[in-house]
Amino acid sequence: MIGSFMGSMESTVVATAMPTIVGEMGGLSIYGWSFSIYVLASSAGIPVAGKLSDILGRRVVYAWAMALFLVASLLCSIAPSMIWLIVFRGLQGLGAAGLLPLALVMIGDMFSFEERARVQALFSGVWGISSISGPLLGGFLVDRVGWPSVFYINIPFGILSAWFVWHWWEDRHLLTKGKPYIDYPGAILVTLAAVSLLLGLIDVTVWYGWALIALSGVFGYWLWRVEKSSPDPVLPMALFRWRLFTVTILHSLAIGWVLSGVTAYVPLFVQEVQKKSATEAGATLTPLLLAWVVSSAVCARVMLRIGYRNPAIWGMVMVVLGSAMLSQLHVDSGKMLLIGSMLCMGTGFGMTVPALLIAVQMTVERRSMGSATATIQFARSIGGSVGVGVMGAFLNWQVGKVGMAGAIETTFWVAGAITILGLAITLAAPVLSAEEMGQRR
């Protein structure tokens, strides 16, 4: 939980400090790369970290990921220029790639189905609290201590987290005997495919953006060919023949798209269209986060009785309802419509996301738990990047025709269409009761 809190809070804490950092060091023209490089590195590293944990064990991979994260944090605090800060943020992202997915993998190793469903609610709470407290903590540290403190604060908590895991964690899955096989070609290709896709999505209005996306497709095809013949692939291609896993991956792509779109464009709507303050714009996401935490706890108890499928479907229905409310927003809309939309979507996310994740963890072979869980996280991250890129391009295309207000309102319809697609995908999930999942495990 400590490691997850650090990894998820890092982007929001740094976002508060970046204006001050730019004021001192300059580099406004490359300001955005301090965030983009973190997302690029953490997204590309997720499937590799998950697979390595299956081969080498959770403890070793977690410790190395934490060490990289902490060393990079220390280097960020003493960066002499914006360029070096961006380089060190990339290293930070690589470290975070091992922290967030491995926390979910370790939950799968430690707890039974009954326990795991409840523990997932705690981790959802960690994510919600970090998202809310990050900007507040970042502002306090920058004002009272100085911007390097937003990186220093990681050190004591990271050491504590790594010490707990190193001393008390016991790997419960069977590690590879003898010299392990590591799929270096697969690791390189999945990294190249992810990085070129994410770089292309930064700006899809120019020719080289589409060229990078096409290059990503080439790397993806090459990856598929390599992984089919690999004795122990980074991306578990064999699992895609399993309907539950395939549904969960497609669902994660859709959820990542919608969630990133909402978190990016709802505050923009409040600030730029309704002309509210930045504080009010940021606070609009609080109902979504709080509802997510509460509904995760409720979902955990429901799953113990009726299985995963109905909570996953009901959750997507709530996301569709919230998206429909979001599409009705306009300049003069009151707060209640927006709050209601965020509550519905947060409740839906809190039900549908953990339901499918726990179902996969309960029924996958233990030796594939790390790669399966990391692939789900990777799909959600890629979906989020694609969603923000496509919705941003759509917004820019509409602004010249209907103005900012009309463009954002129309963009919300794009998110709504993706939620309906996500519901259709979820309906294809196989029926498994709680007892059947336990038997398969």
Side-chain angles (χ1 to χ4, degrees):
M1 290 177 70
I2 294 170
S4 294
F5 184 83
M6 288 171 48
S8 60
M9 188 179 68
E10 183 61 22
S11 58
T12 55
V13 168
V14 173
T16 311
M18 282 309 297
T20 302
I21 296 173
V22 169
E24 290 188 13
M25 294 197 302
L28 181 62
S29 61
I30 55 174
Y31 165 85
W33 274 102
S34 61
F35 303 101
S36 299
I37 197 70
Y38 185 87
V39 174
L40 282 169
S42 59
S43 299
I46 284 174
V48 178
K51 186 60 186 180
L52 285 176
S53 77
D54 283 337
I55 298 172
L56 305 176
R58 320 297 188 212
R59 183 172 69 160
V60 172
V61 177
Y62 189 89
W64 277 105
M66 182 62 79
L68 179 58
F69 184 84
L70 295 182
V71 170
S73 296
L74 189 60
L75 291 172
C76 286
S77 67
I78 59 174
S81 66
M82 181 61 72
I83 292 177
W84 279 110
L85 179 64
I86 290 170
V87 172
F88 299 146
R89 284 282 287 165
L91 293 177
Q92 242 191 341
L94 286 176
L99 300 182
L100 298 177
L102 279 189
L104 297 175
V105 174
M106 292 161 87
I107 289 174
D109 283 342
M110 277 189 282
F111 299 105
S112 68
F113 171 60
E114 293 79 7
E115 295 167 332
R116 188 183 311 157
R118 298 187 180 98
V119 171
Q120 286 283 3
L122 293 177
F123 275 78
S124 294
V126 167
W127 181 82
I129 292 170
S130 67
S131 299
I132 296 170
S133 62
L136 300 175
L137 178 62
F140 175 82
L141 290 174
V142 171
D143 291 340
R144 300 298 178 89
V145 185
W147 69 261
S149 61
V150 302
F151 299 106
Y152 285 139
I153 197 171
N154 293 325
I155 308 299
F157 295 107
I159 292 174
L160 180 63
S161 176
W163 184 73
F164 276 134
V165 171
W166 188 258
H167 281 277
W168 282 296
W169 178 259
E170 294 181 9
D171 282 304
R172 298 186 180 184
H173 70 297
L174 294 175
L175 298 178
T176 305
K177 300 294 184 182
K179 186 178 180 180
Y181 173 81
I182 299 177
D183 182 18
Y184 291 110
I188 293 170
L189 285 171
V190 74
T191 302
L192 291 174
V195 169
S196 55
L197 174 63
L198 296 172
L199 285 173
L201 289 169
I202 290 176
D203 191 354
V204 294
T205 61
V206 293
W207 68 267
Y208 54 80
W210 288 104
L212 285 168
I213 293 172
L215 181 62
S216 174
V218 173
F219 283 133
Y221 175 73
W222 193 3
L223 173 68
W224 174 69
R225 293 289 300 273
V226 168
E227 298 297 81
K228 277 205 314 178
S229 58
S230 173
D232 194 7
V234 167
L235 284 181
M237 294 297 180
L239 290 181
F240 284 94
R241 293 195 291 268
W242 176 31
R243 183 152 58 107
L244 174 58
F245 184 75
T246 301
V247 166
T248 303
I249 294 299
L250 295 175
H251 172 273
S252 297
L253 288 169
I255 285 294
W257 179 311
V258 175
L259 180 60
S260 295
V262 167
T263 54
Y265 294 110
V266 166
L268 181 67
F269 175 84
V270 173
Q271 193 168 3
E272 295 297 326
V273 177
Q274 295 189 325
K275 304 302 180 183
K276 303 291 180 63
S277 67
T279 302
E280 288 179 288
T284 55
L285 299 178
T286 302
L288 182 149
L289 300 171
L290 295 178
W292 189 320
V293 173
V294 174
S295 64
S296 292
V298 173
C299 175
R301 297 184 179 276
V302 172
M303 281 184 66
L304 297 177
R305 298 178 182 176
I306 64 173
Y308 82 97
R309 190 173 185 272
N310 284 334
I313 292 173
W314 297 341
M316 278 309 302
V317 170
M318 291 296 293
V319 174
V320 171
L321 177 60
S323 183
M325 297 170 66
L326 195 63
S327 67
Q328 301 304 308
L329 286 175
H330 52 82
V331 177
D332 300 319
S333 295
K335 289 184 178 180
M336 294 311 298
L337 181 61
L338 182 56
I339 291 173
S341 171
M342 293 297 97
L343 286 173
C344 281
M345 297 189 84
T347 300
F349 287 137
M351 294 177 69
T352 194
V353 170
L356 285 166
L357 174 63
I358 294 171
V360 169
Q361 288 187 330
M362 273 304 297
T363 49
V364 74
E365 290 180 279
R366 187 177 289 277
R367 65 185 178 89
S368 300
M369 171 111 48
S371 55
T373 304
T375 304
I376 294 170
Q377 292 290 103
F378 179 63
R380 195 183 309 166
S381 178
I382 292 295
S385 299
V386 171
V388 170
V390 172
M391 291 174 70
F394 184 82
L395 177 69
N396 292 333
W397 176 55
Q398 287 287 301
V399 164
K401 297 181 177 182
V402 295
M404 178 62 77
I408 296 181
E409 292 168 11
T410 309
T411 303
F412 288 150
W413 282 94
V414 176
I418 299 300
T419 62
I420 295 172
L421 177 61
L423 176 59
I425 291 168
T426 311
L427 289 170
V431 178
L432 285 173
S433 67
E435 293 77 12
E436 288 173 321
M437 284 194 290
Q439 291 168 1
R440 283 174 179 248
R441 188 72 171 116

